[in-house]
């Protein structure tokens, strides 16, 4: 008997990530996902049922989408950046529904940050620098990912350099240097599908999680266990 598809409420559906997620869901029927609702900021009338809320919108839109997930007791996944501290605290304190938040939903970006963390621990006396490049439409600067990496490096946000060039998906370069050598660790995304494909994987996992707050660290642990089987 065929399993019922997971019905997705896609918040921020008209944005770059929203469109990429919707396209990949259509192109990958084996993932057993379907977009049942498309939502934009301020919209609250829904006739179609949904099983999970995926949000890539604005800080205000993310809060609205979370309230919908809470109201209908459905899992909530957001990759929206620049969320307010009170809202982040609300997400981190959630116990009744599964809540997932990451400023970058790519597993490879997560392991990039882990490599940077290890390098900083090994080369504590080295000077540090961080540079990121994104497309010209990106509103926040530095990016949410860059802020996260800067925090890991112990680098003040004001020392993060950035560029907005064409349609660049996202490049992050962490540099550690001394008088003797230089170490550069770079992650470059060549397609937004990298993030959209990861969202589909996270959804399948999050649907099986009990209520609580989850991050890429939790998802990475799950994937590593899966690889060992």
């Amino acid at each position: 008997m065929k399993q019922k598809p997971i019905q997705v409420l896609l918040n921020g559906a008209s944005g770059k990530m929203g469109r990429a997620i919707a396209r990949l869901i259509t192109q990958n029927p084996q993932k057993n996902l379907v977009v049942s609702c498309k939502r934009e900021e301020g919209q609250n009338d829904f006739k179609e049922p949904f099983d999970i809320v995926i949000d890539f919108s604005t800080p205000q839109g993310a809060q609205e989408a979370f309230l919908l997930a809470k109201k209908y007791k459905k899992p909530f996944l957001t990759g929206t950046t620049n969320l307010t501290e009170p809202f982040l605290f609300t997400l981190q304190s959630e116990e009744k529904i599964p809540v997932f938040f990451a400023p970058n939903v790519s597993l490879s970006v997560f392991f990039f940050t882990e490599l940077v963390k290890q390098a900083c621990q090994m080369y504590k006396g080295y000077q540090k620098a961080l540079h990121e490049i994104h497309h010209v439409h990106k509103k926040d600067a530095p990016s949410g990912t860059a802020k996260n990496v800067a925090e890991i490096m112990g680098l003040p946000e004001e020392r993060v350099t950035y560029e907005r060039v064409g349609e660049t998906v996202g490049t992050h370069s962490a540099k550690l240097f001394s008088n003797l050598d230089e170490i550069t660790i770079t992650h470059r995304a060549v397609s937004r599908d990298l993030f959209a494909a990861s969202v589909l994987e996270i959804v399948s996992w999050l649907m099986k999680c009990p209520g609580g707050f989850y991050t890429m660290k939790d998802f990475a642990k799950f994937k590593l266990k899966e690889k060992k089987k």
Side-chain angles (χ1 to χ4, degrees):
M1 185 176 177
K2 189 176 180 181
Q3 191 177 6
K4 181 184 174 183
I6 297 169
Q7 299 184 86
V8 173
L9 188 160
L10 188 54
N11 191 52
S14 64
K16 290 179 181 294
M17 270 298 293
R19 294 198 304 271
I21 291 167
R23 176 172 50 78
L24 284 195
I25 285 176
T26 301
Q27 292 175 352
N28 293 274
Q30 73 276 12
K31 297 293 184 184
N32 208 36
L33 300 171
V34 61
V35 178
S36 62
C37 311
K38 291 185 177 182
R39 181 187 185 276
E40 300 302 333
E41 192 171 315
Q43 179 188 353
N44 290 307
D45 51 326
F46 298 101
K47 296 179 181 178
E48 299 296 328
F50 57 89
D51 301 311
I52 187 169
V53 177
I54 298 176
D55 166 70
F56 284 85
S57 60
T58 64
Q60 178 60 36
Q63 292 188 53
E64 294 171 359
F66 172 68
L67 290 177
L68 278 171
K70 282 281 288 181
K71 179 180 178 181
Y72 292 99
K73 299 178 182 177
K74 304 297 182 182
F76 177 71
L77 182 158
T78 182
T80 297
T81 57
N82 277 348
L83 301 181
T84 65
E85 287 297 326
F87 181 46
L88 277 173
F89 180 76
T90 297
L91 295 181
Q92 292 163 356
S93 304
E94 181 56 45
E95 295 180 349
K96 293 185 177 180
I97 63 171
V99 167
F100 179 92
F101 166 70
N104 191 305
V105 294
S106 162
L107 197 58
S108 58
V109 169
F110 172 78
F111 286 117
F112 158 74
T113 61
E114 288 295 297
L115 286 172
V116 172
K117 184 188 297 184
Q118 289 184 28
C120 289
Q121 290 171 349
M122 284 192 70
Y123 301 97
K124 291 183 179 179
Y126 281 47
Q127 296 184 63
K128 302 165 187 174
L130 178 63
H131 185 71
E132 59 104 338
I133 311 171
H134 277 90
H135 52 83
V136 294
H137 314 288
K138 190 165 182 62
K139 295 177 182 178
D140 56 329
S143 68
T145 301
K147 290 177 182 177
N148 182 48
V149 176
E151 185 177 351
I152 287 169
M153 296 176 72
L155 192 67
E157 186 180 318
E158 58 269 21
R159 285 181 53 195
V160 177
T161 57
Y162 56 87
E163 295 176 74
R164 296 294 174 260
V165 181
E167 297 298 326
T168 305
V169 176
T171 299
H172 297 84
S173 291
K175 184 185 294 185
L176 291 87
F177 55 98
S178 69
N179 294 331
L180 301 176
D181 62 355
E182 179 181 296
I183 303 162
T184 301
I185 306 171
T186 298
H187 179 275
R188 183 171 71 91
V190 297
S191 169
R192 194 164 279 102
D193 284 3
L194 169 72
F195 311 107
S198 185
V199 167
L200 270 56
E201 296 289 333
I202 295 168
V203 164
S204 299
W205 164 73
L206 191 65
M207 288 294 297
K208 301 171 186 175
C209 292
F213 178 70
Y214 302 91
T215 66
M216 284 302 296
K217 188 174 183 178
D218 301 297
F219 181 60
K221 285 181 180 178
F222 162 75
K223 293 299 289 184
L224 286 170
K225 286 181 182 178
E226 193 178 53
K227 293 284 186 184
K228 290 179 181 178
K229 289 181 180 179

